[in-house]
Amino acid sequence: MKSFILALLPGLEVETGEFFEKVLGLLDRLSGTVSPVFFIQNIWLIMITMSSARGTALNFLSRRLPRLHADEGRDIGLMIRAFAAALEDDNLLVRRGALDILLQSMRIDSAAIKRAHPEDTVILSAALRIFHIANRAFRVFVDTYVTATDGTCIVLQAPAFDEDDARVAIDNGVLCPEEMPPCPLDDGGKFIKPVTDFEGMYIKVCFHSLIE
């Protein structure tokens, strides 16, 4: 069953793609042929074991996440481990997709999640790590190398490419001194993971697409 699902999931990569609805319909038929419970168990297993398929699995779940019942403790434990794996994925879009589904569709204080205790702490820990990372970004700092009389007075920070930027990031707790700054480019100026939409493409070729 996992192999069938894995073969179809790439068709859900782009929600506006011409095959998205067709593939979604095929997965619905596959679920009905076996059983929805067995089918969704395989989705959870794919998310736990196949990092490359987590994004498309989340696209499926955003449309077809089943209603949770308190008597499904074992399956919910599997689901919790699946979402925890997605929340800790290297791909930022996967982490964001998993968090969006959790915030929209799953209450941590629901009877179903409480019945899965102590596995519920796994998903809470993973989600809190996401918020910890988010709290280190999108902040404004003041430093002497940027003045009100030169340039735009406001600059973006790129700790991987500038000594002053790296110093400011470390001084303000965005980065730890021993932590490598995030860098989405290889030595040739081409995007690498987690920028999967432009992976392998030269940065200057992508300017217009990035702006859009």
Side-chain angles (χ1 to χ4, degrees):
M1 178 55 61
K2 280 178 61 178
S3 299
F4 280 115
I5 297 174
L6 283 169
L8 291 170
L9 282 178
L12 301 183
E13 189 167 356
V14 181
E15 290 197 46
T16 56
E18 61 176 311
F19 299 112
F20 188 90
E21 294 298 334
K22 294 179 181 178
V23 171
L24 194 62
L26 287 172
L27 288 168
D28 286 340
R29 290 173 60 186
L30 188 60
S31 174
T33 300
V34 286
S35 80
V37 172
F38 178 66
F39 181 85
I40 206 67
Q41 284 175 347
N42 280 272
I43 293 290
W44 303 140
L45 289 171
I46 286 170
M47 288 177 62
I48 293 170
T49 61
M50 305 288 294
S51 60
S52 60
R54 283 177 190 145
T56 49
L58 288 168
N59 284 345
F60 173 81
L61 292 171
S62 68
R63 299 286 193 93
R64 297 290 190 269
L65 182 66
R67 185 181 298 275
L68 304 181
H69 300 286
D71 59 352
E72 296 175 337
R74 186 175 65 178
D75 291 343
I76 288 172
L78 193 64
M79 178 201 68
I80 286 173
R81 291 193 293 276
F83 273 105
L87 288 169
E88 295 177 333
D89 193 272
D90 292 335
N91 189 323
L92 177 61
L93 294 178
V94 171
R95 298 200 300 267
R96 188 179 69 181
L99 194 59
D100 284 345
I101 292 176
L102 289 174
L103 291 173
Q104 294 171 13
S105 306
M106 297 172 57
R107 290 179 58 90
I108 296 297
D109 61 350
S110 68
I113 298 296
K114 287 181 177 179
R115 188 175 177 83
H117 185 80
E119 281 111 322
D120 56 354
T121 58
V122 174
I123 201 166
L124 282 171
S125 298
L128 286 172
R129 279 192 288 272
I130 297 293
F131 285 112
H132 174 67
I133 293 170
N135 285 336
R136 294 162 60 189
F138 305 110
R139 295 158 66 189
V140 179
F141 307 114
V142 176
D143 197 80
T144 55
Y145 82 104
V146 180
T147 70
T149 56
D150 297 317
T152 62
C153 308
I154 299 175
V155 297
L156 297 175
Q157 297 292 286
F161 303 102
D162 185 88
E163 184 177 353
D164 280 320
D165 289 0
R167 174 181 55 78
V168 170
I170 291 172
D171 289 348
N172 290 277
V174 177
L175 292 175
C176 299
E178 66 277 5
E179 183 180 3
M180 287 293 292
C183 179
L185 302 173
D186 63 16
D187 292 339
K190 295 181 179 180
F191 280 109
I192 58 176
K193 291 182 179 179
V195 190
T196 53
D197 289 345
F198 304 102
E199 188 175 356
M201 297 176 64
Y202 185 54
I203 183 171
K204 290 189 176 180
V205 176
C206 304
F207 275 163
H208 292 296
S209 298
L210 287 168
I211 292 171
E212 291 174 0

